[in-house]
Amino acid sequence: MKIGFIGLGLMGEAMSLNLVKKSGHTVRVFDLSAEKVALLRDAGAEAASSIREVGESCDVVISMVPKSEHVQAVYQELLPVARAGQILIDMSTIDVAVSVELSRQVAKTGAVMLDAPVVKSVPAAKDGTLGIYVGGDKASFEQVQSILACMGNNIIHLGDNGRGLVMKLAHNVLVAQIQNGVNEMLTVAHDFGISTEDFATAVSYGGASNFYLSAKLNALKAEDYSTAFALDNMGKDIDCMVRMIEPKGIKLPGVLNCQSVYNFAIANNMGREDFCASIKAVKLRAH
């Protein structure tokens, strides 16, 4: 079996390296950055010159790119060479409707498409401990589960095409809402002379204890917004959630509030910082 991997950004690079090290299969990679491709080639992967070449030569093709339009561009190259027996796995976080429509187009070729977005960020991608949410044909999922296990240690199949993405968006927007609560109450604590350290210790004594605050405590104390998961990307995920629920008439004020915080942060040039930089947006809006 030959595995293709398209998209060698912060996450894709780490994920594809784990495939090279653990899968026992040939891994062929492509990215617009020749430097990224060279890095993977030096680690033992084969370099492809185009997306089409990956599609033509690989039995399983994984993509990990930023946005819906990027996935659509990738699949524009893959669809003409997709074939029966091939499994295409998109691990990007994109609009559910876009992914479902692509899965229908893939099905017409005889190939199968799975959506398999991931949770956690770069350190987990490097360690191979991502969470992976899968939507699509269950038998095909079972065929590639060992491949996914090279990149993640918690993997769940959630149903038809698009369901992996629904769960990923639900997960990330829940994180954003927890984060917003932390940011708002930390703003109150600071205004009343309570330090970030004391705030976190006190929170840990009660029901408000949460993983986000524990995981980001050192960064929040140091005001270190070095990027593990970009604020831009969380903003994109919230926007995807809003587009997903609007046609169903679902009204969620908390989601819209988070969207307004992230829109403000992005408008104020915080988008390339880590998503914990959203606390700066909350503080600016609070005073």
Side-chain angles (χ1 to χ4, degrees):
M1 179 186 289
K2 185 169 285 190
I3 303 168
F5 202 105
I6 298 162
L8 304 175
L10 286 173
M11 296 291 285
E13 177 186 317
M15 293 160 68
S16 55
L17 279 168
N18 274 321
L19 287 171
V20 170
K21 293 173 186 174
K22 301 178 186 178
S23 71
H25 301 296
T26 300
V27 179
R28 177 166 284 187
V29 300
F30 177 78
D31 191 90
L32 293 175
S33 166
E35 183 180 345
K36 290 281 192 178
V37 173
L39 186 151
L40 264 294
R41 186 187 60 230
D42 291 346
E46 292 183 355
S49 60
S50 67
I51 293 168
R52 185 185 180 97
E53 182 186 329
V54 174
E56 287 174 333
S57 62
C58 296
D59 307 293
V60 175
V61 178
I62 298 169
S63 50
M64 184 64 166
V65 295
K67 296 180 180 179
S68 294
E69 54 265 37
H70 302 124
V71 176
Q72 288 171 316
V74 167
Y75 274 73
Q76 190 173 10
E77 300 297 317
L78 290 177
L79 281 165
V81 295
R83 59 197 178 274
Q86 190 177 47
I87 299 175
L88 310 180
I89 309 171
D90 183 46
M91 304 188 77
S92 318
T93 301
I94 63 169
D95 287 292
V96 174
V98 169
S99 183
V100 170
E101 175 54 31
L102 287 173
S103 73
R104 291 176 182 139
Q105 294 178 35
V106 170
K108 291 176 183 176
T109 71
V112 172
M113 178 182 172
L114 303 174
D115 50 285
V118 303
V119 290
K120 301 183 189 173
S121 56
V122 175
K126 290 179 177 178
D127 293 341
T129 55
L130 293 167
I132 305 176
Y133 300 155
V134 185
D137 178 64
K138 190 166 186 179
S140 299
F141 159 68
E142 289 169 351
Q143 281 183 255
V144 298
Q145 193 166 359
S146 63
I147 293 171
L148 296 175
C150 296
M151 300 175 282
N153 63 343
N154 289 304
I155 305 167
I156 182 170
H157 181 264
L158 290 150
D160 294 339
N161 285 102
R163 298 303 182 266
L165 281 165
V166 171
M167 189 63 237
K168 167 62 186 285
L169 296 177
H171 173 278
N172 273 22
V173 176
L174 179 57
V175 171
Q177 293 197 68
I178 293 167
Q179 176 196 65
N180 198 55
V182 169
N183 288 344
E184 289 188 350
M185 293 307 102
L186 193 52
T187 297
V188 171
H190 288 168
D191 277 14
F192 283 86
I194 298 172
S195 70
T196 301
E197 180 73 42
D198 285 348
F199 173 84
T201 300
V203 164
S204 75
Y205 295 166
S209 182
N210 65 88
F211 178 80
Y212 173 77
L213 180 57
S214 300
K216 289 296 185 180
L217 178 58
N218 290 335
L220 290 168
K221 286 195 298 184
E223 299 183 12
D224 176 9
Y225 306 121
S226 304
T227 305
F229 178 55
L231 192 149
D232 264 340
N233 285 338
M234 180 62 97
K236 177 256 299 180
D237 293 352
I238 297 169
D239 289 344
C240 284
M241 170 64 78
V242 171
R243 286 192 292 269
M244 181 178 75
I245 64 175
E246 277 180 344
K248 289 187 171 289
I250 301 172
K251 296 175 175 60
L252 299 175
V255 173
L256 297 179
N257 183 49
C258 282
Q259 186 182 46
S260 72
V261 170
Y262 271 81
N263 286 346
F264 180 88
I266 291 165
N268 283 274
N269 302 312
M270 302 174 200
R272 298 183 73 84
E273 296 182 284
D274 189 78
F275 81 124
C276 69
S278 61
I279 191 168
K280 295 191 292 182
V282 170
K283 287 189 169 188
L284 284 170
R285 282 161 47 111
H287 297 102

